[in-house]
Amino acid sequence: MKTTLAPFAKPLYVMAKPIGATCNLACDYCYYLEKANLYKNAPKQVMSDELLEKFIREYIGSQTMPQVMFTWHGGETLMRPLSFYKRVVELQKRYAGGRTIENCIQTNGTLLNDEWCAFFRENNWLVGVSIDGPQEFHDEYRRNRQGRPSFIKVMQGINLLKKHGVEWNGMAVINDYNADFPLEFYRFFKEIGCHYIQFAPIVERISRHTDGRHLATPLQQEDKLADFSITPEQWGNFLCALFDEWVRQDVGTYFIQLFDSTLANWVGEQPGVCSMAKTCGHAGVIEFNGDVYACDHYVFPEFKLGNIYEKTLVEMMYSERQQTFGQDKYQKLPTQCKECEFLFACNGECPKNRFATTSNGEPGLNYLCKGYHQFFSHVAPYMDFMKREWLAERAPSNVMNAIREGRI
């Protein structure tokens, strides 16, 4: 089961946004579309060739590991032409310096065609596709700017990826609508042959800003949740129901990032989900103009670290300010969290969701805490067994056999 765990390493990691917040969809819950308001003086939010080369050269040069992972995100990444990404590959080869270069790109899938897929296959890119389950669930919030649904185009894109043999995984947002149907939701991903799945709970608060943005920053104590936000109870029920089917049928065949990260924390390894790590701050984001922010979920003026034309990536990402940002994740937990038996399993989860208060009124509790506690309590016997199996380097199928034999 060790193959499902991320290696214990923390290289400098900066996600690139070559198209900024520009997108051909207008998903109701998207936290990134409104970031365009931060750059109203730049109507065409595209990364220049000059900045692209500077970023690639500096990013590779800042690494201490033999493998370098580039992550391209949006907005909608495929709104940059294919020629842009061909240039990416050329520059990576030029500056690789003997390192192994890997690329992953996140897309909504609607613009995929044979040419794109052939490029991804030829260059071994991992493609993440955003899809929120079956058509009814997906189209509830994931529509284009004209209000038209996107599911059919996304599935056409996925089928093209499969046709060309492109490695791909699914990223699904769990919201107030689809959270109540965990098994129907999960079985859909198995039906379409998606073996690597990331489930992300959506939690946003509403707060109007003078520049047109409407989502609260992590520093604001706003109580009004966006209508699409999941409740802690929904999240806990969703995870438990999904885990029960996965652990009995799909261990070692389908890989769910949150379950793998939970096991990683259970055995003392580095989790693959940064929100569940003890510290954060090692994964920044660079915008189309070179601005660097502390995290993809912290693209707010108060969390801007600088610009690549003024400071190096190393200076920004290893600055005292960024290190404090990462360490505060654990250090600023309320007493209730620090005394929790499952602190090791979630480490307080993502700091952006810590706007709730504990039973004694202490601030800083994660809004989803109740759901996570329900999940960890539910899976503890299985995780303890998996830990023993993992340490003994036995096959994942032993978990399912043990369940059938009543040993768990």
Side-chain angles (χ1 to χ4, degrees):
M1 298 176 74
K2 286 185 179 181
T3 56
T4 69
L5 300 179
F8 185 78
K10 279 191 177 182
L12 184 148
Y13 178 82
V14 180
M15 176 191 295
K17 300 272 187 172
I19 193 68
T22 305
C23 189
N24 62 322
L25 297 186
C27 305
D28 290 349
Y29 57 63
C30 183
Y31 66 89
Y32 223 83
L33 280 178
E34 67 171 31
K35 304 304 180 186
N37 289 298
L38 297 175
Y39 299 100
K40 290 184 176 180
N41 294 327
K44 292 184 178 180
Q45 299 184 9
V46 295
M47 183 177 287
S48 68
D49 290 343
E50 176 191 15
L51 176 56
L52 176 66
E53 182 167 1
K54 180 175 179 60
F55 167 63
I56 289 176
R57 181 178 66 248
E58 192 171 313
Y59 187 62
I60 293 175
S62 67
Q63 301 297 322
T64 58
M65 305 291 287
Q67 296 85 24
V68 182
M69 171 61 78
F70 282 84
T71 300
W72 307 93
H73 218 287
E76 173 45 44
T77 50
L78 303 194
M79 291 186 74
R80 292 306 313 268
L82 182 56
S83 58
F84 174 85
Y85 295 103
K86 289 182 177 179
R87 179 65 172 160
V88 165
V89 173
E90 293 173 0
L91 292 170
Q92 289 173 338
K93 290 178 179 178
R94 179 185 303 176
Y95 295 111
R99 293 181 174 87
T100 300
I101 306 296
E102 298 177 346
N103 287 280
C104 65
I105 187 168
Q106 188 69 31
T107 174
N108 62 40
T110 61
L111 301 178
L112 287 167
N113 57 29
D114 285 304
E115 189 176 13
W116 276 111
C117 293
F119 169 80
F120 293 140
R121 180 67 182 88
E122 180 181 353
N123 294 282
N124 298 313
W125 283 41
L126 170 64
V127 179
V129 180
S130 299
I131 181 168
D132 289 353
Q135 186 167 5
E136 178 186 353
F137 301 154
H138 177 92
D139 286 339
E140 177 70 11
Y141 291 124
R142 299 190 64 81
R143 295 173 175 266
N144 65 20
R145 295 185 179 277
Q146 291 74 43
R148 298 192 183 100
S150 62
F151 178 82
I152 292 177
K153 285 189 175 181
V154 176
M155 285 306 304
Q156 289 173 345
I158 288 174
N159 289 332
L160 284 172
L161 291 172
K162 293 159 69 173
K163 168 188 169 184
H164 286 269
V166 178
E167 185 178 358
W168 69 283
N169 57 34
M171 200 288 284
V173 171
I174 313 304
N175 52 64
D176 70 309
Y177 188 73
N178 60 21
D180 292 330
F181 305 91
L183 297 185
E184 183 177 350
F185 184 82
Y186 176 47
R187 289 166 186 168
F188 164 80
F189 284 93
K190 293 196 288 184
E191 288 170 3
I192 65 173
C194 184
H195 287 265
Y196 296 87
I197 316 165
Q198 178 184 352
F199 297 131
I202 186 71
V203 177
E204 294 291 349
R205 294 165 297 142
I206 303 299
S207 180
R208 301 295 175 183
H209 302 265
T210 56
D211 60 11
R213 290 177 292 127
H214 66 280
L215 298 179
T217 74
L219 298 179
Q220 292 177 302
Q221 296 300 312
E222 303 291 337
D223 294 326
K224 182 174 173 53
L225 281 170
D227 292 340
F228 48 70
S229 296
I230 192 173
T231 69
E233 293 78 11
Q234 282 182 309
W235 185 229
N237 293 337
F238 176 90
L239 291 177
C240 290
L242 199 151
F243 180 86
D244 285 346
E245 173 147 329
W246 173 80
V247 78
R248 287 171 171 80
Q249 300 182 18
D250 303 319
V251 172
T253 302
Y254 291 90
F255 301 91
I256 298 173
Q257 189 181 49
L258 192 144
F259 296 168
D260 281 353
S261 293
T262 299
L263 177 58
N265 278 338
W266 227 269
V267 302
E269 292 281 345
Q270 181 73 6
V273 180
C274 63
S275 62
M276 297 178 72
K278 189 170 184 178
T279 61
C280 57
H282 65 283
V285 57
I286 184 168
E287 283 288 346
F288 67 95
N289 68 338
D291 285 347
V292 176
Y293 292 86
C295 171
D296 185 36
H297 291 284
Y298 282 74
V299 179
F300 298 99
E302 54 267 47
F303 292 101
K304 179 181 169 181
L305 299 175
N307 188 284
I308 196 173
Y309 285 110
E310 301 166 355
K311 301 177 183 178
T312 67
L313 291 174
V314 169
E315 286 178 312
M316 289 183 278
M317 291 302 297
Y318 291 108
S319 65
E320 181 178 355
R321 180 183 176 191
Q322 183 69 349
Q323 296 302 302
T324 299
F325 169 79
Q327 294 165 2
D328 279 352
K329 175 183 179 180
Y330 189 87
Q331 294 173 351
K332 289 188 175 181
L333 286 171
T335 304
Q336 178 177 319
C337 289
K338 291 182 178 179
E339 295 178 350
C340 177
E341 61 181 315
F342 297 122
L343 174 61
F344 72 92
C346 76
N347 291 300
E349 212 253 345
C350 184
K352 86 174 188 66
N353 293 332
R354 295 183 190 168
F355 53 85
T357 56
T358 65
S359 56
N360 63 3
E362 188 177 0
L365 181 69
N366 194 294
Y367 166 75
L368 294 174
C369 175
K370 183 178 179 180
Y372 276 110
H373 195 279
Q374 176 188 350
F375 169 65
F376 295 135
S377 298
H378 183 75
V379 305
Y382 303 95
M383 287 295 165
D384 289 340
F385 184 88
M386 288 183 187
K387 179 179 179 179
R388 293 193 295 271
E389 296 296 291
W390 183 84
L391 292 174
E393 299 187 356
R394 287 191 281 262
S397 59
N398 288 345
V399 177
M400 291 183 281
N401 291 335
I403 291 173
R404 296 188 188 101
E405 297 166 7
R407 290 187 283 126
I408 303 180

